[in-house]
Amino acid sequence: MTFTYDTEVALSTAAALVNTGRSVTDALATMDGLDTFLEQQRFSGSRTRTEEELQAVRALRTELESLWFAEEDDVVGRVNRILRRTSALPQLVRHDDWDWHLHATAPEAPLADRMATEAAMALADVVRAHELDRLGVCAAADCDGVVLDLSRNRSRRFCDTGNCANRTHVKAYRARRAGT
Ligand SMILES: [Zn+2]
Ligand SMILES: [Zn+2]
């Protein structure tokens, strides 16, 4: 494992959130889409299910997307801003079937704030470990997805939004055959 379990979960949720905005159909276009996303990510806590909540999550998605491609100093500034803005106060918690992990906001804080602090706390781990190069972009020519490479040997090149690895390998295979 590269980071602690809760950090890896938070990072993959952040990657999945960014990717909802980088695929052909926007999975967060509607409240139903947000419900499905949170269910998939097993993100619990209070909800308002208002348009404001949906828009705040969409704004966070944009914020995390620029963070994904930012240089270290910039990432640090952005992470610190999120932690200040949400008055993050790390507390060890255990709930549902999750073992001890950190929450930095109260369960009743706005959804986008809770998602933001979780991502920011995880990114703080990445910065401290000098592992920002684990945040990348999908190697498939026809895909804009972001990739989170948590593999031991840093071998992950494709996102998990579709079938990018397979598609690219089939294409390369066909190109090789056409060339012979
Ligand atoms: Zn939790
Ligand atoms: Zn991809």
Side-chain angles (χ1 to χ4, degrees):
M1 192 151 55
T2 306
F3 301 103
T4 58
Y5 179 68
D6 55 329
T7 291
E8 298 202 344
V9 169
L11 290 172
S12 63
T13 296
L17 176 63
V18 170
N19 278 337
T20 61
R22 292 173 70 87
S23 36
V24 185
T25 47
D26 181 351
L28 295 188
T30 62
M31 189 64 71
D32 285 350
L34 178 59
D35 292 347
T36 307
F37 177 80
L38 295 172
E39 205 170 297
Q40 282 165 352
Q41 300 298 322
R42 305 186 54 225
F43 203 96
S44 53
S46 70
R47 296 276 314 278
T48 60
R49 295 195 89 257
T50 55
E51 182 60 23
E52 194 188 353
E53 180 183 68
L54 178 62
Q55 291 313 322
V57 173
R58 291 171 59 92
L60 173 65
R61 172 171 77 180
T62 309
E63 190 176 19
L64 292 180
E65 184 176 27
S66 16
L67 222 155
W68 203 270
F69 298 100
E71 297 296 325
E72 189 179 79
D73 287 353
D74 195 13
V75 171
V76 168
R78 287 164 184 272
V79 164
N80 283 343
R81 273 201 295 282
I82 292 175
L83 295 175
R84 270 200 308 272
R85 183 179 82 210
T86 56
S87 309
L89 176 68
Q91 298 281 291
L92 281 162
V93 292
R94 193 157 62 172
H95 62 85
D96 300 309
D97 50 355
W98 302 103
D99 200 356
W100 291 116
H101 59 287
L102 290 169
H103 276 194
T105 36
E108 61 277 6
L111 173 67
D113 281 5
R114 286 184 287 117
M115 294 175 81
T117 43
E118 203 150 285
M121 297 277 291
L123 286 161
D125 278 359
V126 178
V127 169
R128 278 149 62 225
H130 300 284
E131 296 279 6
L132 276 175
D133 59 354
R134 291 184 179 274
L135 312 185
V137 69
C138 182
D142 54 354
C143 177
D144 287 330
V146 295
V147 182
L148 173 67
D149 184 0
L150 296 174
S151 65
R152 194 181 291 268
N153 55 355
R154 299 167 188 272
S155 54
R156 180 128 191 237
R157 297 172 55 225
F158 299 99
C159 73
D160 51 12
T161 59
N163 201 13
C164 289
N166 252 337
R167 208 171 56 243
T168 303
H169 293 146
V170 168
K171 245 189 214 162
Y173 173 74
R174 289 201 181 120
R176 271 199 306 279
R177 287 199 38 163
T180 54

